[in-house]
Every structure is written in C-alpha cells, then in structure tokens.
Amino acid sequence: MTTSRDTQRQKFEAREANIIAAASEVFASRGVDGAKMIDIARQAGLAEGTLYLYYRNKHDLLTAVVGHFWSELTAGARLAVDPHADPFQQLEQLASYHLNALLAQFQVVQLTYRARGTESAHVRDLDQVRGYVRIFDAIVERGIDRGNMRGDATLWQARDIFYGTLEFSARTLTLREASSDEGVVDNLMQVMGHHLIPAAKRTDLAPSAVTSSSDAQGITHKDLMEKLNGLEERLKALS
Amino acid sequence: MTTSRDTQRQKFEAREANIIAAASEVFASRGVDGAKMIDIARQAGLAEGTLYLYYRNKHDLLTAVVGHFWSELTAGARLAVDPHADPFQQLEQLASYHLNALLAQFQVVQLTYRARGTESAHVRDLDQVRGYVRIFDAIVERGIDRGNMRGDATLWQARDIFYGTLEFSARTLTLREASSDEGVVDNLMQVMGHHLIPAAKRTDLAPSAVTSSSDAQGITHKDLMEKLNGLEERLKALS
Amino acid sequence: MTTSRDTQRQKFEAREANIIAAASEVFASRGVDGAKMIDIARQAGLAEGTLYLYYRNKHDLLTAVVGHFWSELTAGARLAVDPHADPFQQLEQLASYHLNALLAQFQVVQLTYRARGTESAHVRDLDQVRGYVRIFDAIVERGIDRGNMRGDATLWQARDIFYGTLEFSARTLTLREASSDEGVVDNLMQVMGHHLIPAAKRTDLAPSAVTSSSDAQGITHKDLMEKLNGLEERLKALS
Amino acid sequence: MTTSRDTQRQKFEAREANIIAAASEVFASRGVDGAKMIDIARQAGLAEGTLYLYYRNKHDLLTAVVGHFWSELTAGARLAVDPHADPFQQLEQLASYHLNALLAQFQVVQLTYRARGTESAHVRDLDQVRGYVRIFDAIVERGIDRGNMRGDATLWQARDIFYGTLEFSARTLTLREASSDEGVVDNLMQVMGHHLIPAAKRTDLAPSAVTSSSDAQGITHKDLMEKLNGLEERLKALS
DNA sequence: CATGAATGAGTCTTCATTCAT
DNA sequence: GATGAATGAAGACTCATTCAT
C-alpha cells in the first residue's frame, strides 16, 4: 500500500517535473504572454486540461517554473562550491557556475523579473532569489570572518558587481555566440579581489587572477590552485 | 502660411511626445502585453483610434517608446559628461547619470528586450542602444589614447562591469527605496579604476607580476594535476 | 448673377460627376465593403470630409453610383438604337451595345445586386433597371405591333434570355480576356429570332443572322442590312 | 473503440454541416461582409470561438459554404439527370433541376463570386463550379457524338445561354413570387433546340441557307458601303 | 485521472462619420 | 465650402479556463 502510494507520488512528481520542464522551455522561448497553455501541454505530451490538474492557472505555473529554477540553481550552486576551498576560490567557483547557468538558461532568469501579478507572489519570488544570493553572502561573510576579505566593503554592492557583471557578460557572450567564457570569470575575480581583499593581502591574489594561460588539456593555474586549496583544507581538518 | 505649417508640425510633435509619454508609463507599469491600447489612449487623453494615426500598431508604438527612451538617454548623457574632464571623471559622470536615469525609469529599460524584431531580424539591437553605448566606448578609447587607461583590457568586459553593476545597483536601490546612490558610483569607479588604469599609474596596488605558466623542465599542468589527484586519493583514504 | 450661379451649378455638377466616377471605379475594383471612403476621396482628388458635402453617407454614394450607371446606360442605349431601323436590327444594336457596356463595366453591374439596406432604396434601384429594360420591351412591342414578332411569346422570358445570355457571355469573354465579342451577338440574335419571329417570316432572318463573315474593313452583311433598312425607313417616311 | 471513433467523426461532421447551414443562411441573407461571425455562431447554436475550431477564419468558412453548395448541387444534378434519357431530355432535366435549385438558394450562388481568391490566385474559379458545369458539357458532348446535336456550335455559348437564361429567369420568378416555373424550361429547351439541333433534323425550321459574303465580281463590302453612304446623304438632303 | 471540445471575455485594429479650423 | 485630424463603435480572432465524457 505504502509502496503503491509512493509509486503514485513518484508518478505525480515526475509529471510535475515534466510540466515544469516543458513550461520552462516554452516560457523561455516565447515569453510569458507568448506562451500558450496548449503549447506547454503539447511540449509536455499532455492535454490542455491536464495542466490544470497540476496548476490552478497559467500564473501559478509561471510561479512554479520560476521557483523551480531558483531552487535548482541554488542546489546546483551548493554542489559547485567546494566547502573546504578558501572564500576566493569559492567565489570563483560560484561565478563560473552562475555564468554557465545563465548561458544555458538566460531566458528563464528574465522570467523572474516579469512575474507580475500579486505583490505576495512577487515577494515569494524574491525570497527564492534571496535564498540563492545567500550563498554569495555566506562566502563573503566567511571571508570577512577569516580576515581574507574586507568587512568595510558593503556586501550588497559587491553582490551587484558580481551578479550584474555576470548577467551582462552572459548576454554579451550569448549575442557573440561565444562558447567559452572568454576570461569573464577571471576578470570578474580580479575586480572582486580589488573590491574585497584588504590591501595588505592583495599581492597574493594578483598572480592567480591574472594568469589565464592554459595548455592543451584545458587545465589552468586556477584549476591547480583550487585543487591545492582543497588539499590544504583537508590537511587542516586532519590535524 | 509657413507659421501655420510650423504650428501644425509643433502640434503633431507635441501629440507624438504626449503619446510616447503615456505609452512609456503604461508599458512600464503593466508590461508590454499587459498594456492595452485603450489604456494608453486614455492616459494620453485621446481616443483609441487616434493612436493609430501616429503609430501603425502596438509594436510600432513600443519600438517608438524604447527608441525615444534611448535617444533621450543618449542626449542627456552627452550633456552630463564634461568634454574637458579627464576620462575617469567622465566615466564617473556617466555612471552617475546612468544610475539616476535607471532609478527614474527602470521599467522602461526592461522594455528594450521586447522591442527587438521578434525573431524576424535575428537579434538586431535597436540602433539607439548602440548609440548610447558608444558614449562609454568613446570615453574609454580616449583614455587609452591618452595613456590614462589600459589598452589591453577588453572593452566589452569593462562595459559589462560598468552597465551590469549599475543596473543591478539600481534594482537594489529601488527595492530599498533608497534616495541617494549610497556610494554605488564611488565603488564602481574604484572597480573600473583597477580594471582600466595601467599598472604604472596605480599607486595603491602591487604590480601585477604575471607568472608564466610554462616552465623549462617540460613538466606540464597535466603532470602536476595527475600528481595532485594521486595525493588527493591518498588523503581521502586516510580520512 | 445668373451666370455666376450657373457656373457654380456647373462646378457642383462637375464635382459630383467626378465623385461618381471615382466611386464607381473604387466600388467596382474593391467591392462595396472593400471600398474605403478615403480611397474614393483620394481617387477623386478630394478630402474625406468633402464627400459628405455631396452624399450623406457611403450607402447614398453607392446608390448614386448605381443610379448614375443605369441612367447613363439607358441614355447610351437610346443613342445606340437607330429609331428607324426595324425591330430586329434594333435588338441587335441593343445587344451589341449592352455587351460592350458589360465588358467595360462588368463590376459595376454587380453592384446593383448588392445595394442592400432599405427596401425602398432597393425598389428605387429596380425602378432604374426597369427604365433600362423598357428599351428592350419597347423594341419587342413595336415588333409585335408590326407583325415582325410573335405576340404569343412571353416578353419577360425573351428578356431573360436576352440579358441572361449577354451577362453570362460577358463574364466568359472577360475570363477569356477576349477582345472581340466572338459571335456572341450573332448567336444571340439567332436565338432571339427563333424565339420571337413568327414561323412564316423566319427565312428572312436566317441569312442575316448566320452570316458573320467580314472583309478586312470590318464591314459585315449585318452592317449593310442595317444601312439598307435605315434607307428603307426614310423612303417610307418620304412617301 | 472504432464505434466511439465513428461516433466522434459523425458528431464532428454533423457539427460541420450545422455550421455550413447556419453560415449559408447568414451569408445569403446579409451578404458576406454583412454577416458577423457571432451571427453565424448564434444561428448554429454555438459560441463564437467554436467556429474557429472548424474553420480558420471567415474567408475559409465562406469558401466552405460555397464549395459545399456547388458539390451538393452537382450531386443533386447527377441524380436529377436520367443517364438513359436522350441528351435533350437530359438537358431539360438539368434545366429544371437548376432552376429549382436557384429558386431555393438564389443568394448563395451570388456568394460564389466573393469566394474566389481575392486577386491573389488571379481569377481562379472554385473547382466545384467546374465540376458542376461539366455535367452540362457532358450531356452536350454526348449529344454531338450521337449526332443529335451540332458540333459546330460553340459549347461555351450554349452554356451561357443555358445558365444565363436560367439565372435571370430565377431572378424574375423570385421577384414575381411565382411558384411554378411558368414555362421557363420549355422555352429554354426550344431555344437550346434551335441552337443545338442539326439543320437536317429540324422540321419546323427553314434550312439556314448560308449566303456567302464574298462574290466573284471583286466588289467588296466596302464598295457597297460607300455607295450606300452616298445614297443616304442624298436622301438626307432631300428631307 | 485524463482528455480536448467548447466557451466567451478580452483586444487589437479598421473605417465611416463628425467637426473645429 | 473644403479639409483632414479625431473619434469610437464594431468585429474578427485568440486563448485561458471549464467540464462532460
């Protein structure tokens, strides 16, 4: 009985995920108002009416899509950021992750800004964005605690530099149909470094941030540094 | 006769400006699809049909609104930037101007993305946007010519930092309902400084000694990486 | 004063004729509902509002166009039919005239059937058509009086054969983009002959109706017969 | 399952027929442009939007109505014509059938002219109309083959006499609110007879002796004409 | 539960008609 | 009288949502 119910539950959630995926795609490609419920249904391989068994109306579906996007993004970011790395490495990992996410799902991010309607829903959307942003905040705060980063820098300004630059860079890269990030993350990290690192520590960063050369295997100094920092953390943990 | 024709022309342009203003407001507050032509007409104090004497259809009106916004923005920017100031001061003036414009008309900027020729003309930007961005480019290029700024920095990345940061800051300031810019421009200028000022001129920053990644011993990154991965595995086994 | 008033009157009527001509063309080419008042105005070289100084509304204008067409057609028919010719020649003249009129203004005739709206207006239209048809009737009645035509044949049936055949032939000729009438009138006259001529007199007609050969000057036996009949009439009148 | 699908299909076709019937009525009574989609929907007992589930737009619906009319007419005509009768009897059967159809649905025929591809596909007739006319052609061609009818008579002219007369007669009968055909078909058959029956078979008609227009003396029509014109002038001077 | 046919409110757009200049 | 800008009623068409099967 429980198993059957679980199976049902699984089925339900699979359908739900299926609808969200379909809706994400259609919303992203045609825009909120350009997306017809029938298009979403077809994309999901369902009948129109079936959508309404899962979501009360189009706006609810949009909210779910946006909510799903941010929670997935948040989960992905947590995996992408090595908890043992030092704050700067983490920031770089986050930047890299965020940029790739934007490149892959740029249109979906835009939907967030367009979730009009009730104020309450808008606030709920913002809450989810805040959850995502908290990852950034946590990294920086940890950096400040450790003394690796300046505490006098206003956090939200660092945030806007970080996310604003990444979003605009993503747009530019998309327009250029560029495949690699073309040094965007490196550049950003240098900028963030100057913004966040206390003057006394700044020399340590420069080499890492500036070097972007790589050999044919695509392994950069950055990759090595990350690895080393990871090892360092583990050794610390051991002792 | 000429006077009468001029008066006519003036009337026409006044009405046109009136419509653009009304449409800007309605588009901004309700979004493109949320804005009804009759709402715009009422806002402009006109009958619905009258709009169509000035603009062929809704999309044309949107294009006009966005085009008008950017050309006004460009005109304002030219006034805001002192041609005799040095490039960095100019950049600061531009940043300040841009931020204020965003704070005042944040929603209109968002419309830009909808005004593009939907799929038809590929992703052709509005000419007016290019014109506006050219102001930033001109300042930086002049800085490079004068030797005040680095020529090796990629222009578009500087641009994305500049505009991305300002746009996200504007959003934040709007959410906080802040009245002043709370140091956003100052901070941005610091960041832009580090990004654009040649090492020789930076006094508060260590020279960015670039350590070349290739070494004479023929040891590649790949070799190092393999070694490190081996170490990592051993450590995992230990813990 | 009278002269000036006459001049005014002339001007007015000239404008009126101008509007009718313009409206005829636009109505004919685009259909009643497809014709926009502004198109008619432009075609007439006038402003939209000016049309309303001459005709209360679009329907009135249509009525005027149709009325004008039929009265012109009637007037033209009276000129085309030689009053001294014998009834059969007259019928042939009328057929030839009617066919050419149809070929030239086929679309306008169609407008007649479409003058919807008030019953009264419809009746008025029909009256004008009746005026035109009376020419046919008069010819046939005269033929009957003279004993050239049968009185037992129902007049309206002869009329429907006559006009129905000509209208359908006109349509066919138009579709074929034929320039000449391709024997339509000759054929029709033969048909009308068999329908209207008393058996006893039928031999007289056959040659005339059948011969359609002509030399390079385009003069047919028909032409000669007409001429001769005209002369015959005059001689009768003299004696 | 198959039954259910068949039922569905039946329902669909019933609805389709229902819509066509409703549209026919409204189009016929109010004209194409006078017919509002909502009127047709109401007449069919449906909501406005439902029409669009069956026909893409108003013009498609019109085309369907006209197409349906002609194909029904064609089917009816095939039933009305006895395949074993002789060509003349068949023609009479067709005439009688056509006239009655016109009396019943006169307005619908008029719609045909509007259903053509407006300017776009040049003047492409509806295939259904061609199919209908083919019935007439087949009868006449069979008559010619059998030797019952003349092969020298132009088919299209016979067609125009036939259909033109019937259409105009129908109009007349409708205006007179006549119930019977009042001899229209009989009369038409007489006319068609004279037009189509070979001279050898006509007993009530003198042989149509054709006098050739060219004579051996080399006197042309032009010569005669000039002579006659001279006589005419003299006569004018006399009177 | 799933379906998809039916619904009808909502919108853009057109164009006959008016009227201030 | 003439103009043509302004009007707003009207209508084709779309699409989110419902509900009988």
Side-chain angles (χ1 to χ4, degrees):
Chain A
M1 214 49 167
T2 310
T3 314
S4 145
R5 187 175 292 170
D6 281 3
T7 311
Q8 289 222 332
R9 178 109 206 113
Q10 274 176 23
K11 238 184 192 171
F12 184 85
E13 287 180 353
R15 269 243 211 275
E16 211 166 44
N18 179 34
I19 292 175
I20 293 291
S24 293
E25 190 157 331
V26 179
F27 276 138
S29 62
R30 303 221 232 296
V32 173
D33 293 275
K36 298 176 221 164
M37 291 301 272
I38 197 175
D39 291 337
I40 295 170
R42 272 204 271 259
Q43 177 78 20
L46 298 171
E48 289 180 80
T50 311
L51 294 183
Y52 289 85
L53 298 176
Y54 294 82
Y55 301 93
R56 188 180 303 278
N57 55 37
K58 192 179 180 180
H59 189 266
D60 270 19
L61 179 52
L62 172 61
T63 304
V65 164
V66 171
H68 179 263
F69 170 76
W70 287 104
S71 66
E72 286 284 292
L73 197 66
T74 305
R78 285 196 216 283
L79 289 177
V81 174
D82 178 357
H84 306 302
D86 86 86
F88 258 101
Q89 305 302 337
Q90 291 182 327
L91 224 46
E92 191 163 357
Q93 289 160 355
L94 182 62
S96 191
Y97 171 76
H98 187 71
L99 184 62
N100 284 322
L102 286 177
L103 290 174
Q105 309 201 55
F106 189 75
Q107 303 298 333
V108 182
V109 186
Q110 303 298 317
L111 296 178
T112 307
Y113 310 136
R114 307 204 51 248
R116 269 198 319 282
T118 18
E119 277 303 302
S120 64
H122 189 54
V123 170
R124 214 176 314 131
D125 283 353
L126 279 179
D127 278 350
Q128 280 173 305
V129 177
R130 282 205 189 97
Y132 177 63
V133 170
R134 218 168 284 141
I135 296 178
F136 174 91
D137 293 357
I139 293 173
V140 174
E141 278 158 8
R142 186 160 150 266
I144 293 169
D145 286 351
R146 288 185 162 207
N148 284 338
M149 291 178 182
R150 289 195 294 169
D152 59 335
T154 323
L155 183 58
W156 67 263
Q157 290 188 354
R159 217 154 52 195
D160 286 337
I161 294 172
F162 187 81
Y163 288 112
T165 300
L166 287 174
E167 193 157 317
F168 272 60
S169 296
R171 216 193 318 258
T172 303
L173 290 171
T174 301
L175 285 175
R176 299 183 154 224
E177 298 177 16
S179 51
S180 74
D181 82 356
E182 295 191 16
V184 163
V185 171
D186 284 351
N187 249 302
L188 175 62
M189 291 321 294
Q190 195 167 11
V191 159
M192 296 305 294
H194 293 136
H195 192 71
L196 290 172
I197 296 180
K201 298 218 169 179
R202 215 167 279 159
T203 34
D204 310 340
L205 181 74
S208 158
V210 171
T211 44
S212 60
S213 61
S214 61
D215 57 19
Q217 284 74 31
I219 301 168
T220 64
H221 282 170
K222 199 176 17 150
D223 300 321
L224 295 172
M225 274 306 270
E226 282 174 24
K227 256 310 189 250
L228 286 167
N229 283 318
L231 286 174
E232 185 181 40
E233 290 291 323
R234 280 173 190 263
L235 284 168
K236 277 185 191 165
L238 278 179
S239 58
Chain B
M1 212 49 169
T2 309
T3 314
S4 146
R5 187 174 289 170
D6 282 4
T7 310
Q8 289 268 319
R9 180 103 204 121
Q10 274 176 24
K11 238 183 196 168
F12 183 85
E13 286 179 355
R15 275 246 200 275
E16 209 166 45
N18 178 36
I19 292 175
I20 292 290
S24 294
E25 191 158 330
V26 178
F27 275 138
S29 62
R30 303 222 233 297
V32 173
D33 293 278
K36 294 174 245 167
M37 289 302 270
I38 199 172
D39 291 337
I40 295 170
R42 272 205 270 262
Q43 176 77 20
L46 297 170
E48 218 174 338
T50 309
L51 295 182
Y52 290 86
L53 297 178
Y54 293 82
Y55 300 94
R56 193 178 302 278
N57 53 39
K58 193 178 179 180
H59 189 264
D60 265 22
L61 179 52
L62 172 62
T63 304
V65 164
V66 172
H68 179 262
F69 170 76
W70 286 103
S71 64
E72 287 283 293
L73 198 67
T74 305
R78 286 195 215 284
L79 290 177
V81 173
D82 177 2
H84 306 302
D86 82 89
F88 260 101
Q89 285 175 320
Q90 291 182 328
L91 224 47
E92 188 165 358
Q93 289 160 353
L94 182 63
S96 187
Y97 171 77
H98 187 72
L99 183 63
N100 283 321
L102 285 177
L103 289 174
Q105 309 202 57
F106 189 74
Q107 303 297 333
V108 181
V109 185
Q110 303 298 318
L111 298 176
T112 306
Y113 311 128
R114 295 292 304 276
R116 294 174 182 174
T118 326
E119 300 178 37
S120 61
H122 224 24
V123 195
R124 174 184 47 167
D125 270 345
L126 289 169
D127 284 343
Q128 279 94 346
V129 178
R130 293 190 198 280
Y132 181 62
V133 171
R134 217 169 286 143
I135 295 179
F136 173 91
D137 293 357
I139 292 173
V140 174
E141 278 158 8
R142 185 160 150 267
I144 292 168
D145 285 350
R146 286 182 161 210
N148 286 335
M149 293 177 179
R150 291 195 297 167
D152 60 334
T154 322
L155 184 58
W156 67 265
Q157 290 189 354
R159 220 157 44 193
D160 285 337
I161 295 171
F162 187 81
Y163 287 113
T165 299
L166 287 174
E167 193 158 315
F168 273 60
S169 297
R171 219 191 316 254
T172 303
L173 289 171
T174 302
L175 283 174
R176 300 184 155 223
E177 300 177 16
S179 51
S180 74
D181 83 356
E182 296 190 16
V184 163
V185 171
D186 284 350
N187 249 303
L188 175 61
M189 292 321 296
Q190 284 267 338
V191 162
M192 296 305 293
H194 292 133
H195 193 71
L196 290 172
I197 294 180
K201 299 215 171 187
R202 254 179 288 163
T203 53
D204 59 335
L205 197 63
S208 65
V210 176
T211 50
S212 175
S213 64
S214 64
D215 50 22
Q217 287 79 26
I219 301 172
T220 65
H221 286 310
K222 201 182 163 195
D223 299 327
L224 291 172
M225 204 57 177
E226 280 165 8
K227 192 132 207 144
L228 286 166
N229 281 327
L231 281 174
E232 188 179 39
E233 289 299 320
R234 284 203 209 173
L235 281 167
K236 276 187 189 162
L238 279 180
S239 57
Chain C
M1 215 46 168
T2 309
T3 314
S4 142
R5 188 175 289 169
D6 281 4
T7 311
Q8 289 222 332
R9 179 109 205 115
Q10 274 177 20
K11 237 184 192 170
F12 184 85
E13 287 181 353
R15 270 244 211 275
E16 211 166 44
N18 179 35
I19 292 175
I20 292 291
S24 293
E25 190 157 330
V26 178
F27 276 137
S29 62
R30 304 223 230 297
V32 174
D33 293 274
K36 299 176 221 163
M37 291 301 272
I38 197 175
D39 290 338
I40 295 170
R42 272 204 272 260
Q43 176 78 19
L46 298 171
E48 287 181 81
T50 309
L51 295 183
Y52 289 85
L53 298 176
Y54 293 82
Y55 300 93
R56 188 179 302 281
N57 55 38
K58 192 179 180 181
H59 190 265
D60 270 19
L61 180 52
L62 172 61
T63 304
V65 164
V66 171
H68 179 263
F69 170 76
W70 286 105
S71 66
E72 286 283 294
L73 196 66
T74 306
R78 285 196 217 283
L79 289 177
V81 173
D82 179 358
H84 306 301
D86 85 89
F88 258 102
Q89 307 302 337
Q90 291 181 327
L91 224 45
E92 190 164 358
Q93 289 160 356
L94 182 62
S96 190
Y97 171 77
H98 188 70
L99 183 63
N100 284 322
L102 286 177
L103 290 174
Q105 309 200 57
F106 190 74
Q107 303 299 332
V108 182
V109 185
Q110 303 299 317
L111 296 178
T112 307
Y113 310 135
R114 307 204 52 248
R116 270 198 318 283
T118 17
E119 277 303 300
S120 64
H122 189 54
V123 170
R124 215 178 312 132
D125 283 353
L126 280 179
D127 278 349
Q128 280 174 306
V129 178
R130 283 204 188 98
Y132 177 63
V133 171
R134 218 168 286 141
I135 295 179
F136 173 92
D137 292 358
I139 292 173
V140 174
E141 278 158 9
R142 187 160 149 265
I144 293 168
D145 285 351
R146 288 184 161 206
N148 286 336
M149 293 176 180
R150 289 194 295 169
D152 59 335
T154 323
L155 183 59
W156 67 264
Q157 291 188 354
R159 217 156 49 195
D160 286 336
I161 295 171
F162 187 80
Y163 288 112
T165 299
L166 287 174
E167 192 157 317
F168 272 60
S169 297
R171 214 190 323 255
T172 303
L173 290 171
T174 302
L175 285 175
R176 300 181 155 225
E177 299 178 14
S179 51
S180 75
D181 83 357
E182 297 191 16
V184 164
V185 171
D186 283 351
N187 250 302
L188 175 62
M189 290 322 295
Q190 197 166 10
V191 161
M192 296 305 294
H194 294 133
H195 191 72
L196 290 172
I197 296 180
K201 298 218 172 181
R202 216 166 278 160
T203 34
D204 309 340
L205 179 76
S208 156
V210 171
T211 44
S212 60
S213 60
S214 61
D215 57 18
Q217 284 76 30
I219 300 169
T220 64
H221 282 168
K222 197 176 20 147
D223 301 321
L224 295 171
M225 274 305 270
E226 283 174 24
K227 257 310 189 246
L228 286 166
N229 282 319
L231 286 172
E232 185 181 42
E233 291 291 323
R234 278 172 192 261
L235 284 167
K236 278 184 190 165
L238 277 179
S239 57
Chain D
M1 211 49 168
T2 307
T3 313
S4 145
R5 189 175 289 171
D6 281 4
T7 311
Q8 289 266 318
R9 180 104 204 120
Q10 274 176 23
K11 238 183 195 168
F12 183 84
E13 286 178 355
R15 276 243 200 276
E16 208 166 47
N18 179 35
I19 292 175
I20 292 290
S24 293
E25 190 157 331
V26 179
F27 276 138
S29 62
R30 302 222 233 296
V32 174
D33 293 278
K36 293 174 243 169
M37 289 303 271
I38 199 172
D39 291 338
I40 296 171
R42 273 205 271 260
Q43 176 77 21
L46 297 171
E48 214 174 342
T50 309
L51 295 183
Y52 291 88
L53 297 178
Y54 293 82
Y55 301 94
R56 193 179 301 280
N57 54 39
K58 193 179 178 180
H59 190 265
D60 266 22
L61 179 53
L62 173 62
T63 304
V65 164
V66 173
H68 179 262
F69 170 76
W70 286 102
S71 64
E72 287 283 293
L73 198 66
T74 304
R78 286 195 216 282
L79 290 178
V81 174
D82 176 3
H84 307 303
D86 83 88
F88 260 101
Q89 286 175 320
Q90 290 182 328
L91 224 47
E92 188 165 356
Q93 289 160 353
L94 182 62
S96 188
Y97 171 77
H98 188 70
L99 183 63
N100 284 321
L102 286 177
L103 289 174
Q105 310 201 56
F106 188 75
Q107 302 298 333
V108 182
V109 185
Q110 303 298 318
L111 297 177
T112 306
Y113 311 127
R114 295 293 304 276
R116 294 174 181 173
T118 326
E119 297 178 39
S120 60
H122 224 25
V123 195
R124 173 183 47 166
D125 270 345
L126 288 170
D127 284 344
Q128 278 94 348
V129 179
R130 293 190 199 279
Y132 181 63
V133 171
R134 219 169 285 143
I135 295 178
F136 174 91
D137 292 358
I139 292 172
V140 174
E141 279 158 7
R142 184 158 151 270
I144 294 169
D145 286 350
R146 289 179 159 210
N148 287 335
M149 292 178 180
R150 289 196 296 165
D152 60 334
T154 320
L155 184 58
W156 68 264
Q157 290 188 355
R159 218 155 48 193
D160 286 337
I161 295 171
F162 187 80
Y163 288 113
T165 299
L166 286 174
E167 192 157 317
F168 273 59
S169 297
R171 216 189 321 252
T172 303
L173 289 171
T174 302
L175 284 175
R176 300 183 155 222
E177 300 177 14
S179 51
S180 75
D181 84 355
E182 298 189 18
V184 164
V185 171
D186 284 350
N187 250 303
L188 175 62
M189 291 320 295
Q190 284 268 338
V191 162
M192 297 305 294
H194 292 134
H195 193 72
L196 291 172
I197 295 180
K201 299 214 173 187
R202 253 178 289 164
T203 54
D204 59 334
L205 195 66
S208 65
V210 177
T211 50
S212 175
S213 64
S214 63
D215 49 21
Q217 289 78 28
I219 302 171
T220 65
H221 286 309
K222 201 183 165 197
D223 300 325
L224 291 171
M225 203 58 176
E226 279 166 7
K227 194 130 205 141
L228 285 166
N229 281 326
L231 282 172
E232 187 181 42
E233 289 300 319
R234 285 201 208 174
L235 281 167
K236 274 187 191 164
L238 278 179
S239 57

